[in-house]
Amino acid sequence: MKLNWRKIFVGILSLCIVHCASCISVFAQPTQTHATASLDTTKIRIGEQTHLNLTATIPADAKLTFPAIADSIHKLEVVQRSSIDTSKSADGKYFTYHQSLTVTGFDSGFYVVEPFTFFFKKANASDSDSIATEALLLQVQTVPVDTTKDIKDIKPPLDVPFTFREALPYIIGGLVAIALVWLIVYYLKKQKRKPHEVVKKVPLRPAHEIALDELKKVEEQKLWQQGFYKQYQSAVADTIRAYIENRFSIQSLEMPSDDTLSHFKGSLVNEEAFQKLKYVLLSADMVKFAKAIPVGSENETSIQNARDFVMLTKQVAKGDFEPASGTEEKKEVPS
């Protein structure tokens, strides 16, 4: 059997050509995973702004990590940054992520925007892959100045008319202020013209009635009979001191006994009333300060002298001068 070497050679050559063509097509096909960075313009004037656009395309099942960008990129200020937009390829195999940064510069010169690196990790992959953009160059130019001319404003001041709508708040505020001042002046004048109301004092209960009732309560407590001499004598004396304050307006509760007695030396009360008051106050002081123990008769004399002092010095009422009905007796008025 003869072999047809010519046919074998042609077949082998054909296989090589097909294999080479397939390899060329594989190497010639661009990859779908890539990252780009671009500027809207490569030249700006000081203070102007331009957009830095970042784009990354990765497989749909991968997770992308955007590069961390600070507030400035090599002396270029990042004024604003948009949210990250996402789009999907027609076949659904790739996702494209896009973000726009607004940048500006305040110093003239050339600024290099270094490559940005994106990291992504495919599903079920142990390591992360990375893609990077190309470097960019941005020129910040100064504003040309004609030094032969005088310095002047960019634009002349605008003459803005003052409208009634703008003046209305000031007019209303002025009217309100005037009204408040008028009301204050009117109120003050009215207060001056207003007559002072005479407050009629309701007559209180007579001082001697209050004192006699208190002495009766002290007597009913039977303090000295139970051995409470100090409490008994102090209660009798304090009742008389309170009566003196109500009757004569003398602050007896805050005074020593000698000072209280000094107010009654003279024509304020008669001698009998003075002696009875002196007995009550000094008896209480002896028990309180000298630890004296009075006998029963002395305790009874103290409360009786207290009653007598009240009756001898009570304020005289009009009815005290009128004789009792059916009698011709006259009441004696204590001096």
Side-chain angles (χ1 to χ4, degrees):
M1 180 179 179
K2 285 187 176 183
L3 297 175
N4 193 340
W5 295 101
R6 184 178 179 181
K7 290 183 178 181
I8 292 173
F9 176 78
V10 172
I12 292 172
L13 182 60
S14 299
L15 290 174
C16 290
I17 292 172
V18 171
H19 179 70
C20 290
S22 62
C23 291
I24 293 172
S25 63
V26 169
F27 286 106
Q29 183 179 3
T31 177
Q32 295 292 338
T33 303
H34 64 279
T36 60
S38 63
L39 291 166
D40 288 352
T41 179
T42 58
K43 294 181 181 181
I44 61 172
R45 289 181 293 183
I46 290 178
E48 287 184 340
Q49 298 177 356
T50 185
H51 294 97
L52 172 62
N53 303 298
L54 301 178
T55 304
T57 301
I58 61 172
D61 60 347
K63 185 177 181 181
L64 178 69
T65 301
F66 251 72
I69 302 174
D71 293 337
S72 61
I73 305 172
H74 190 53
K75 295 186 179 181
L76 292 176
E77 301 292 333
V78 178
V79 180
Q80 189 178 8
R81 61 190 73 202
S82 69
S83 59
I84 300 175
D85 298 329
T86 307
S87 60
K88 194 174 185 180
S89 62
D91 56 4
K93 294 181 180 181
Y94 295 92
F95 278 123
T96 299
Y97 299 86
H98 175 264
Q99 185 181 30
S100 177
L101 306 176
T102 304
V103 298
T104 185
F106 298 99
D107 290 328
S108 60
F110 291 90
Y111 296 93
V112 177
V113 180
E114 297 180 355
F116 296 94
T117 302
F118 296 81
F119 293 92
F120 66 95
K121 185 177 182 181
K122 296 181 180 179
N124 300 324
S126 57
D127 297 329
S128 298
D129 295 328
S130 64
I131 50 177
T133 64
E134 295 181 355
L136 301 174
L137 185 64
L138 177 64
Q139 182 183 7
V140 180
Q141 299 175 335
T142 60
V143 179
V145 178
D146 188 355
T147 58
T148 61
K149 296 182 179 180
D150 295 333
I151 298 175
K152 59 181 181 179
D153 294 334
I154 297 175
K155 291 184 178 180
L158 297 177
D159 186 12
V160 179
F162 192 68
T163 62
F164 176 75
R165 178 176 294 180
E166 294 173 335
L168 185 60
Y170 299 98
I171 296 173
I172 295 175
L175 293 176
V176 171
I178 294 172
L180 288 175
V181 172
W182 183 85
L183 288 174
I184 293 172
V185 173
Y186 175 77
Y187 176 78
L188 293 176
K189 289 183 177 180
K190 187 177 180 181
Q191 288 295 107
K192 290 182 180 179
R193 294 195 302 265
K194 187 177 180 180
H196 294 285
E197 296 181 359
V198 179
V199 180
K200 295 182 179 180
K201 293 185 178 180
V202 179
L204 300 175
R205 190 181 176 195
H208 68 277
E209 292 184 6
I210 299 174
L212 293 175
D213 286 348
E214 291 297 322
L215 290 173
K216 184 177 181 182
K217 292 178 182 178
V218 172
E219 189 176 27
E220 291 175 350
Q221 290 178 357
K222 298 184 182 296
L223 294 173
W224 70 267
Q225 292 89 337
Q226 303 176 43
F228 300 110
Y229 304 105
K230 182 179 178 180
Q231 291 87 332
Y232 172 78
Q233 290 289 342
S234 296
V236 174
D238 289 345
T239 301
I240 293 303
R241 290 178 183 275
Y243 166 74
I244 292 173
E245 289 193 1
N246 294 334
R247 172 68 177 84
F248 299 99
S249 299
I250 298 173
Q251 303 298 319
S252 179
L253 288 170
E254 301 175 1
M255 294 180 182
S257 297
D258 291 341
D259 291 346
T260 300
L261 292 172
S262 65
H263 283 82
F264 291 93
K265 288 181 180 180
S267 59
L268 188 61
V269 296
N270 58 28
E271 182 63 21
E272 180 184 1
F274 177 77
Q275 292 299 328
K276 291 183 179 293
L277 173 63
K278 182 177 180 181
Y279 185 92
V280 173
L281 298 181
L282 295 182
S283 296
D285 288 347
M286 291 292 294
V287 176
K288 184 176 181 180
F289 300 109
K291 309 297 182 182
I293 301 177
V295 297
S297 59
E298 292 175 337
N299 292 317
E300 293 176 354
T301 301
S302 292
I303 198 168
Q304 184 59 46
N305 284 344
R307 287 197 187 93
D308 293 343
F309 175 77
V310 172
M311 295 303 297
L312 288 170
T313 59
K314 72 175 184 177
Q315 195 168 10
V316 180
K318 182 179 179 181
D320 295 335
F321 294 95
E322 298 177 358
S325 59
T327 63
E328 298 294 332
E329 296 180 357
K330 294 184 180 180
K331 292 185 178 180
E332 295 182 2
V333 179
S335 57

